[in-house]
Amino acid sequence: MRIRYADHLQGRLTLRQIPPELVETVYRKARERFRDTATGYLIGVDRRVVAGRERDVIVVYVVYEEEPECVVLITFHPLRESEKARRRAGGRWIPL
């Protein structure tokens, strides 16, 4: 599958000095995946070292029907366990 970066993500990677390979690794090897019912986006969660600390991080992505062979990575950021628990309990994130 081909991977494309949204403009938003490209800006964040530069601003936060995050290597693109890290984002792709989280997307490809995510230990948990969800669908966000509020946005329709897909979420990949994995534990990685970011800014010198091991933490859960998410990559938000989408696959459009018009281009099913391409995934568009939208954003990438740390995730607190309490955020994940709230979103799951509230029904916003549905496990895949």
Side-chain angles (χ1 to χ4, degrees):
M1 182 166 289
R2 196 166 47 93
I3 295 178
R4 232 179 48 205
Y5 292 76
D7 291 342
H8 172 80
L9 178 59
Q10 289 176 352
R12 292 293 174 190
L13 295 180
T14 301
L15 178 70
R16 297 177 184 159
Q17 299 179 343
I18 298 170
E21 303 80 31
L22 176 61
V23 178
E24 286 190 32
T25 298
V26 171
Y27 164 70
R28 292 183 192 281
K29 297 185 177 189
R31 60 185 164 86
E32 295 179 279
R33 294 195 185 268
F34 302 94
R35 175 173 302 279
D36 185 325
T37 61
T39 64
Y41 291 148
L42 301 168
I43 311 289
V45 179
D46 203 12
R47 191 148 191 90
R48 296 287 161 179
V49 175
V50 178
R53 287 183 31 205
E54 185 175 321
R55 59 178 82 185
D56 279 347
V57 290
I58 68 170
V59 62
V60 177
Y61 62 99
V62 65
V63 178
Y64 294 106
E65 286 182 23
E66 304 82 34
E67 209 176 351
E69 72 286 345
C70 179
V71 62
V72 180
L73 304 182
I74 298 169
T75 196
F76 177 87
H77 58 84
L79 175 70
R80 291 187 194 106
E81 188 61 38
S82 61
E83 289 174 310
K84 182 172 67 172
R86 257 193 334 272
R87 290 172 184 165
R88 289 189 69 187
R92 179 170 172 174
W93 284 8
I94 307 292
L96 297 179

